[in-house]
Amino acid sequence: MAATSSSYAKFDVRRKNPDPERCVLLVIDMQNHFSSMATPIVASINKTIQLCRESNIPIIFTRHIHKSTEDYGMLAEWWNNDLILDGTAASELMSELKRSSGDRVLEKCTYSAFQKTGLEDDLKGEGIREVIVTGVMTNLCCETTARDAFVRGFRVFFSTDATATASKELHDASLKNLAYGFAYLVDCQRLKVGLGK
């Protein structure tokens, strides 16, 4: 059996800085439903938002919601009664987030923010070719969105300190996979330096 490590450092070997003229920040599913895992990263999310605002990088918040049984898909089989229904307090974005009236909110009903949302066409139409991924859960909606962005031709930057999930093991596993084949890993400090702040 191969030895495992909780560190993703050996895979974190590629470096690149986001181009503010071609980039968007995606804040994935920072909703009340996920507050237990999202609360510890709110400060890092807000710092990332601030850095992006200072660089004129647009910000898109996603809300994972279900409006009817018809949009459950496989999530109903997988998560049973733990689905987020639109109109509930659990479905709302956390009040602690530093949102602005100009920020877009994108609704989705599966892991990827690109699936049946029109996001790809919108971004490409605006000249966006890069995404910074933050939010929850690292190994589900964040990772799936990052992988989907990559295969659709976007350069992906994935935050290590502004993403979270149910355990460190799952978080680190995603970071290893993403660093190996899909995304440049960043944190608030790397973004600050990379954006010249």
Side-chain angles (χ1 to χ4, degrees):
M1 183 191 243
T4 59
S5 168
S6 64
S7 173
Y8 51 84
K10 78 178 202 175
F11 302 104
D12 183 18
V13 297
R14 294 176 178 84
R15 294 283 182 274
K16 198 162 201 67
N17 295 325
D19 176 358
E21 307 259 332
R22 298 165 52 85
C23 195
V24 69
L25 172 63
L26 300 177
V27 181
I28 305 292
D29 301 350
M30 289 290 287
Q31 297 162 259
N32 294 328
H33 180 85
F34 299 108
S35 63
S36 63
M37 68 184 73
T39 297
I41 63 166
V42 166
S44 293
I45 291 273
N46 284 336
K47 179 64 175 173
T48 304
I49 290 170
Q50 176 191 338
L51 290 168
C52 288
R53 283 204 207 291
E54 291 171 359
S55 296
N56 295 313
I57 293 172
I59 299 161
I60 299 174
F61 292 85
T62 71
R63 288 177 63 231
H64 186 121
I65 57 170
H66 297 283
K67 297 186 176 188
S68 75
T69 56
E70 293 177 12
D71 69 11
Y72 289 177
M74 281 300 297
L75 294 181
E77 180 175 321
W78 209 256
W79 300 111
N80 297 318
N81 296 321
D82 199 25
L83 298 173
I84 308 167
L85 301 179
D86 192 23
T88 62
S91 73
E92 297 304 318
L93 292 171
M94 296 171 66
S95 61
E96 299 91 336
L97 298 172
K98 300 294 186 193
R99 291 173 54 207
S100 168
S101 60
D103 298 332
R104 182 175 167 194
V105 178
L106 179 77
E107 295 179 349
K108 64 185 187 63
C109 62
T110 191
Y111 295 146
S112 174
F114 288 92
Q115 184 68 26
K116 297 181 182 175
T117 63
L119 182 59
E120 178 179 9
D121 290 340
D122 290 350
L123 296 183
K124 289 185 174 176
E126 296 163 14
I128 301 293
R129 296 294 183 269
E130 300 179 351
V131 297
I132 302 168
V133 178
T134 62
V136 293
M137 301 170 64
T138 310
N139 58 314
L140 295 178
C141 294
C142 294
E143 181 174 353
T144 306
T145 295
R147 287 173 178 252
D148 206 355
F150 180 90
V151 299
R152 292 170 189 260
F154 292 90
R155 180 174 292 121
V156 180
F157 298 89
F158 196 94
S159 179
T160 62
D161 63 351
T163 53
T165 192
S167 73
K168 184 178 186 323
E169 179 183 17
L170 291 171
H171 182 74
D172 285 356
S174 286
L175 296 179
K176 289 176 186 180
N177 283 323
L178 289 164
Y180 187 80
F182 299 96
Y184 296 95
L185 299 185
V186 295
D187 58 19
C188 288
Q189 185 57 36
R190 280 192 196 171
L191 272 180
K192 183 176 180 179
V193 171
L195 294 171
K197 301 297 170 194

Short mmCIF file of all heavy atoms in Angstrom, two decimals, residues 24-46:
data_model
loop_
_atom_site.label_atom_id
_atom_site.label_comp_id
_atom_site.label_asym_id
_atom_site.label_seq_id
_atom_site.Cartn_x
_atom_site.Cartn_y
_atom_site.Cartn_z
N VAL A 24 -12.17 36.40 -13.31
CA VAL A 24 -13.35 36.57 -12.47
C VAL A 24 -13.14 35.76 -11.19
O VAL A 24 -12.47 34.73 -11.21
CB VAL A 24 -14.64 36.12 -13.19
CG1 VAL A 24 -14.67 34.62 -13.41
CG2 VAL A 24 -15.88 36.57 -12.45
N LEU A 25 -13.68 36.26 -10.09
CA LEU A 25 -13.67 35.52 -8.83
C LEU A 25 -15.01 34.81 -8.66
O LEU A 25 -16.06 35.45 -8.73
CB LEU A 25 -13.45 36.46 -7.65
CG LEU A 25 -13.63 35.84 -6.25
CD1 LEU A 25 -12.61 34.74 -5.99
CD2 LEU A 25 -13.54 36.93 -5.17
N LEU A 26 -14.96 33.50 -8.45
CA LEU A 26 -16.16 32.71 -8.16
C LEU A 26 -16.17 32.39 -6.67
O LEU A 26 -15.24 31.77 -6.16
CB LEU A 26 -16.18 31.42 -8.97
CG LEU A 26 -16.16 31.56 -10.49
CD1 LEU A 26 -16.11 30.18 -11.16
CD2 LEU A 26 -17.38 32.34 -10.98
N VAL A 27 -17.21 32.82 -5.99
CA VAL A 27 -17.40 32.51 -4.57
C VAL A 27 -18.51 31.47 -4.52
O VAL A 27 -19.69 31.79 -4.69
CB VAL A 27 -17.75 33.77 -3.75
CG1 VAL A 27 -17.91 33.40 -2.27
CG2 VAL A 27 -16.68 34.85 -3.94
N ILE A 28 -18.12 30.24 -4.30
CA ILE A 28 -19.03 29.11 -4.46
C ILE A 28 -19.78 28.78 -3.16
O ILE A 28 -19.17 28.46 -2.13
CB ILE A 28 -18.25 27.85 -4.93
CG1 ILE A 28 -17.45 28.12 -6.21
CG2 ILE A 28 -19.20 26.66 -5.10
CD1 ILE A 28 -18.26 28.37 -7.45
N ASP A 29 -21.11 28.91 -3.21
CA ASP A 29 -22.03 28.33 -2.23
C ASP A 29 -21.76 28.70 -0.77
O ASP A 29 -21.95 27.87 0.13
CB ASP A 29 -22.06 26.80 -2.37
CG ASP A 29 -22.48 26.35 -3.75
OD1 ASP A 29 -22.93 27.20 -4.54
OD2 ASP A 29 -22.35 25.15 -4.04
N MET A 30 -21.37 29.92 -0.51
CA MET A 30 -21.15 30.37 0.88
C MET A 30 -22.52 30.69 1.49
O MET A 30 -22.86 31.84 1.76
CB MET A 30 -20.20 31.55 0.91
CG MET A 30 -18.76 31.19 0.57
SD MET A 30 -17.96 30.18 1.86
CE MET A 30 -17.71 31.42 3.14
N GLN A 31 -23.29 29.64 1.71
CA GLN A 31 -24.67 29.75 2.16
C GLN A 31 -24.82 29.28 3.60
O GLN A 31 -23.98 28.54 4.12
CB GLN A 31 -25.57 28.89 1.25
CG GLN A 31 -25.60 29.36 -0.20
CD GLN A 31 -26.11 28.29 -1.14
OE1 GLN A 31 -25.33 27.63 -1.80
NE2 GLN A 31 -27.43 28.12 -1.18
N ASN A 32 -25.91 29.70 4.23
CA ASN A 32 -26.17 29.31 5.62
C ASN A 32 -26.15 27.79 5.81
O ASN A 32 -25.74 27.29 6.86
CB ASN A 32 -27.51 29.88 6.08
CG ASN A 32 -27.47 31.39 6.16
OD1 ASN A 32 -26.44 32.00 6.44
ND2 ASN A 32 -28.61 32.02 5.89
N HIS A 33 -26.58 27.05 4.80
CA HIS A 33 -26.59 25.60 4.87
C HIS A 33 -25.21 25.04 5.22
O HIS A 33 -25.09 24.02 5.90
CB HIS A 33 -27.07 25.02 3.54
CG HIS A 33 -27.13 23.53 3.50
ND1 HIS A 33 -28.20 22.81 3.97
CD2 HIS A 33 -26.23 22.61 3.04
CE1 HIS A 33 -27.98 21.52 3.80
NE2 HIS A 33 -26.79 21.37 3.24
N PHE A 34 -24.16 25.70 4.73
CA PHE A 34 -22.79 25.23 4.91
C PHE A 34 -22.04 26.01 5.98
O PHE A 34 -20.81 25.95 6.04
CB PHE A 34 -22.03 25.34 3.58
CG PHE A 34 -22.62 24.53 2.47
CD1 PHE A 34 -23.28 25.16 1.42
CD2 PHE A 34 -22.52 23.15 2.45
CE1 PHE A 34 -23.82 24.42 0.37
CE2 PHE A 34 -23.06 22.40 1.41
CZ PHE A 34 -23.72 23.03 0.37
N SER A 35 -22.75 26.74 6.83
CA SER A 35 -22.07 27.68 7.74
C SER A 35 -21.07 27.02 8.67
O SER A 35 -20.05 27.62 9.00
CB SER A 35 -23.09 28.48 8.54
OG SER A 35 -23.86 27.63 9.35
N SER A 36 -21.29 25.78 9.06
CA SER A 36 -20.35 25.14 9.99
C SER A 36 -18.97 24.99 9.38
O SER A 36 -17.96 25.16 10.06
CB SER A 36 -20.87 23.78 10.46
OG SER A 36 -20.99 22.89 9.37
N MET A 37 -18.89 24.70 8.09
CA MET A 37 -17.58 24.59 7.46
C MET A 37 -17.15 25.90 6.80
O MET A 37 -15.96 26.14 6.60
CB MET A 37 -17.54 23.43 6.46
CG MET A 37 -18.37 23.59 5.23
SD MET A 37 -18.35 22.12 4.19
CE MET A 37 -19.36 20.99 5.13
N ALA A 38 -18.10 26.77 6.47
CA ALA A 38 -17.78 28.02 5.79
C ALA A 38 -17.33 29.13 6.73
O ALA A 38 -16.49 29.96 6.37
CB ALA A 38 -19.00 28.50 4.99
N THR A 39 -17.85 29.14 7.95
CA THR A 39 -17.51 30.21 8.89
C THR A 39 -16.00 30.37 9.10
O THR A 39 -15.49 31.50 9.10
CB THR A 39 -18.25 30.01 10.23
OG1 THR A 39 -19.66 30.11 9.97
CG2 THR A 39 -17.85 31.05 11.25
N PRO A 40 -15.24 29.28 9.25
CA PRO A 40 -13.80 29.44 9.47
C PRO A 40 -13.04 30.10 8.30
O PRO A 40 -11.93 30.59 8.50
CB PRO A 40 -13.30 28.01 9.69
CG PRO A 40 -14.50 27.26 10.16
CD PRO A 40 -15.66 27.88 9.44
N ILE A 41 -13.62 30.12 7.10
CA ILE A 41 -12.91 30.72 5.97
C ILE A 41 -13.50 32.06 5.54
O ILE A 41 -13.05 32.64 4.55
CB ILE A 41 -12.86 29.77 4.75
CG1 ILE A 41 -14.26 29.45 4.21
CG2 ILE A 41 -12.06 28.51 5.09
CD1 ILE A 41 -14.27 28.80 2.84
N VAL A 42 -14.47 32.58 6.28
CA VAL A 42 -15.08 33.85 5.89
C VAL A 42 -14.04 34.97 5.79
O VAL A 42 -14.05 35.76 4.85
CB VAL A 42 -16.23 34.24 6.85
CG1 VAL A 42 -16.64 35.70 6.66
CG2 VAL A 42 -17.44 33.34 6.61
N ALA A 43 -13.11 35.03 6.75
CA ALA A 43 -12.09 36.08 6.71
C ALA A 43 -11.25 35.98 5.44
O ALA A 43 -10.96 37.00 4.80
CB ALA A 43 -11.22 36.03 7.95
N SER A 44 -10.86 34.76 5.06
CA SER A 44 -10.07 34.57 3.84
C SER A 44 -10.89 34.87 2.59
O SER A 44 -10.37 35.44 1.62
CB SER A 44 -9.52 33.15 3.77
OG SER A 44 -8.57 32.93 4.79
N ILE A 45 -12.15 34.49 2.60
CA ILE A 45 -13.04 34.82 1.48
C ILE A 45 -13.13 36.34 1.33
O ILE A 45 -12.97 36.89 0.24
CB ILE A 45 -14.46 34.23 1.68
CG1 ILE A 45 -14.43 32.71 1.59
CG2 ILE A 45 -15.46 34.84 0.70
CD1 ILE A 45 -14.57 32.12 0.22
N ASN A 46 -13.38 37.03 2.43
CA ASN A 46 -13.53 38.48 2.38
C ASN A 46 -12.23 39.17 1.97
O ASN A 46 -12.26 40.18 1.25
CB ASN A 46 -14.06 39.02 3.71
CG ASN A 46 -15.54 38.75 3.88
OD1 ASN A 46 -16.28 38.59 2.90
ND2 ASN A 46 -15.99 38.69 5.12
#
